[in-house]
Each structure stands twice: as C-alpha cells, then as structure tokens.
Amino acid sequence: GELRAAGATMAPMFAESFSDLHTVQQFVKFRDYFFARPVEKKLLKPWTAADIDRFCKDDPVHGAQVKTLRQAGIITALGGVGSGAFGATWAFRRGGTINGGIISGIICGVSSAAIGLGMSQQLTVYTHSLWTFDKMETTKAFRGWWRAHGGAPE
C-alpha cells in the first residue's frame, strides 16, 4: 500500500493484504497434492534372482527382458558409482588444503557420478539393445506376475 494521512482508515491496506491469501492457498494445494498425499498403493515385497528365474519359466519373452534390464541397471549403477569415486578422488588430491580438498571432492564426486550415471546408462542402452522392447510393459508384466505369485503385501 501507500502512506496514509493521519486518521485515515486502515481498511483498504488491510483488504489489499488478502490478495496474497490466494497465493498461499495455491501453495498449500500444491504442497498437499505432491507431498502430503497418503500412499495409495501398497508396495510389493522385494524379489530375488530366484523369483526372476521363476518368472522366466512362466513368461520366457518378458523374463529374458527383465534379466536384461536388471543386468543393465547393475552396470549403470556401477558406472555412476565408479565415476563419482574417481572424480571425488581426483578433485580431493588437487584441493590444496584439506578443507578445499573435501569441498572440491564432494562437488566433483557428485558431478562425476551424475555424468557417469548418464553415460553408462546410454552405453547399456546401446550394448544391451534396450530400444528393441518396451521397458514399461516388461516391468508391468513382471510386477503383475510377482503380485500374483507371492509378492503382494499381507
């Protein structure tokens, strides 16, 4: 608002502050929708390699794809961790002081891990031919099978 003369009513300034109320309400709706919602689905139980082998016997097409996705995921994770460790070590050794080494090691380690994760993911897409099948359909097939064969929570 603006400055008011002495004795003037404060009602207009007070009313102007309610325009911010709409912004606050929108923020609360956003927060509740994305962060405060209860979990609607119950999570599946963890599965093992033996469960994936059983799935391969029941559904050979999707079973082979699940094995390929699992192997590609392991390689991708190892690529990200290895790249992050190398980057952190490289930056730590060149940090100058111990504090500089720690800070630069953390920053470079996180950055290297992100880049390594992306690069190893693209590498596994190429080496494992992940573009040849629908990964979401494969995941849905396995999760549906796992829910029906002992993976559903009690």
Side-chain angles (χ1 to χ4, degrees):
E2 64 228 21
L3 293 175
R4 307 249 183 225
T9 178
M10 294 297 290
M13 288 178 68
F14 184 70
E16 289 172 5
S17 67
F18 280 112
S19 66
D20 296 332
L21 186 61
H22 178 70
T23 305
V24 171
Q25 288 172 341
Q26 292 300 322
F27 174 74
V28 168
K29 284 181 184 177
F30 173 82
R31 184 205 62 195
D32 289 347
Y33 182 77
F34 286 105
F35 301 109
R37 286 191 298 173
V39 176
E40 297 167 2
K41 297 180 183 177
K42 292 185 178 179
L43 299 176
L44 294 174
K45 292 179 184 175
W47 53 84
T48 63
D51 299 321
I52 293 175
D53 291 337
R54 283 180 29 220
F55 178 65
C56 288
K57 291 176 185 170
D58 290 349
D59 187 350
V61 174
H62 286 117
Q65 293 172 353
V66 168
K67 281 190 169 185
T68 302
L69 285 173
R70 188 170 192 191
Q71 185 181 21
I74 291 170
I75 291 170
T76 299
L78 290 175
V81 169
S83 177
F86 177 78
T89 305
W90 183 85
F92 178 76
R93 292 176 53 106
R94 284 154 184 80
T97 65
I98 189 73
N99 291 339
I102 290 171
I103 292 170
S104 63
I106 290 170
I107 293 170
C108 189
V110 169
S111 301
S112 296
I115 292 170
L117 193 67
M119 290 180 68
S120 59
Q121 191 266 340
Q122 289 301 315
L123 181 71
T124 56
V125 165
Y126 177 73
T127 58
H128 290 71
S129 302
L130 297 181
W131 69 85
T132 59
F133 60 90
D134 185 7
K135 292 165 280 304
M136 187 63 86
E137 179 184 328
T138 302
T139 303
K140 284 182 182 178
F142 176 72
R143 287 186 178 173
W145 177 88
W146 181 233
R147 186 173 280 114
H149 290 86
E154 283 88 23

